[in-house]
Amino acid sequence: MKTAPTAAPPRRASRGRSGAEARIVQSIGEAIADRRLPPGTKLAEESLAQVFGVSRERVRKVLLLLAQRRVVTLIPNRGAFVAKPTAREAREVFEARRVIERAIMETLDRLARPLPPGVLARLNEHRAREEAAEAAGDRKALIRLSGQFHLLLAEFAGNATLAGILGDLIDRSGLAIAAFERRSSHSCSAEDHRRLIDALADPGPDRNRAGEAVRLMMEHLDTIERQLDLEAKPEPLIDLKSVFAGADGE
Ligand SMILES: [Zn+2]
């Protein structure tokens, strides 16, 4: 049971919220993750209440939840904003990811030798979706799939606590990348993920190669962090209504 793959893509549990709130948290979270809402965007209660057809009070609850996850910043008398990490916070987030993801890869290396066929099939299926998104130039899908890949590994390692922490760190590293990326690049390359899967699938007979997947993951995170440019950027103006146009219809 502990490392069984699941068919659904990894999503955080709704943590006991009402359905409407969970739906809004997810919509805003996804818009932040795929950069439709860049760091620093003002999240006006009134506009969000109109967009989602709920009370301002409910919007406030949602913003509070997102603030607890540190993807939204609440400023007294000014309102809510998509969090805009400083260069220092960006480095801290990647440092934390290295610690967590090293532990996850070590656990996988230890538990999953050889990697169960079901897990490998699920990873390869995910890899195919990443490669298709990359080939199609679908940046939004690629960002979403990239994060899910890392969460899948955490899930297969069977540690829900590490997976939960990693989920928040992935959201925050997405913000760091959006704030500091040098040009229009995405966070992960499908090629790096392919090499990670290969290392897990076939680590070779030599126990000394056990660290290969860990090494590749550290290299992968270093590469992403190195793509960041710590120069300040002007804040773009975002229209909340156009971001969520059609998002609430179904
Ligand atoms: Zn990645």
Side-chain angles (χ1 to χ4, degrees):
M1 195 68 157
K2 53 185 182 293
T3 59
T6 55
R11 281 240 68 89
R12 249 77 51 70
S14 63
R15 301 178 191 176
R17 276 170 240 131
S18 80
E21 281 163 28
R23 180 173 54 86
I24 302 169
V25 166
Q26 187 172 335
S27 288
I28 297 178
E30 282 175 4
I32 291 174
D34 67 25
R35 325 274 163 83
R36 279 173 291 148
L37 290 176
T41 304
K42 181 162 171 65
L43 298 170
E45 281 176 15
E46 182 94 45
S47 302
L48 290 173
Q50 281 175 22
V51 164
F52 291 105
V54 296
S55 66
R56 286 182 65 159
E57 197 166 20
R58 185 154 266 179
V59 168
R60 218 168 290 146
K61 267 193 201 169
V62 164
L63 293 173
L64 197 62
L65 278 163
L66 290 166
Q68 283 164 358
R69 280 169 45 188
R70 302 176 73 172
V71 293
V72 161
T73 304
L74 300 176
I75 303 177
N77 303 320
R78 286 190 56 208
F81 297 82
V82 176
K84 188 170 189 176
T86 63
R88 184 198 175 106
E89 283 164 349
R91 278 191 286 268
E92 285 178 3
V93 165
F94 278 96
E95 186 60 42
R97 278 191 67 170
R98 275 190 287 271
V99 172
I100 300 285
E101 299 201 58
R102 172 182 288 279
I104 287 166
M105 298 312 280
E106 282 172 353
T107 303
L108 279 173
D109 236 1
R110 206 170 46 240
L111 284 181
R113 183 178 296 272
L115 210 61
V119 171
L120 188 58
R122 183 73 185 83
L123 287 173
N124 277 322
E125 182 208 322
H126 192 89
R127 167 171 86 178
R129 286 164 65 201
E130 281 188 25
E131 284 168 355
E134 199 168 66
D138 187 345
R139 192 159 167 268
K140 279 182 196 166
L142 199 51
I143 289 170
R144 193 157 42 233
L145 288 166
S146 296
Q148 283 174 2
F149 174 79
H150 289 256
L151 289 175
L152 261 184
L153 293 177
E155 187 189 315
F156 293 149
N159 187 326
T161 303
L162 284 184
I165 295 170
L166 182 62
D168 288 352
L169 288 172
I170 285 173
D171 289 347
R172 292 176 64 200
S173 55
L175 284 172
I177 292 162
F180 297 114
E181 69 188 344
R182 283 206 171 83
R183 61 196 153 76
S184 195
S185 61
H186 53 265
S187 55
C188 295
S189 81
E191 170 63 14
D192 277 6
H193 288 181
R194 187 190 61 74
R195 287 166 60 210
L196 276 162
I197 295 170
D198 288 348
L200 284 169
D202 181 22
D206 181 358
R207 286 298 299 178
N208 290 332
R209 286 194 62 196
E212 180 70 358
V214 177
R215 188 187 67 74
L216 284 172
M217 179 59 88
M218 295 303 102
E219 211 175 270
H220 178 52
L221 292 174
D222 285 347
T223 302
I224 299 169
E225 190 178 357
R226 270 200 305 272
Q227 285 172 359
L228 303 187
D229 173 10
L230 305 181
E231 300 285 321
K233 287 181 183 177
E235 290 179 26
L237 213 61
I238 302 295
D239 173 24
L240 291 179
K241 286 181 185 170
S242 68
V243 166
F244 291 107
D248 202 32
E250 297 175 289

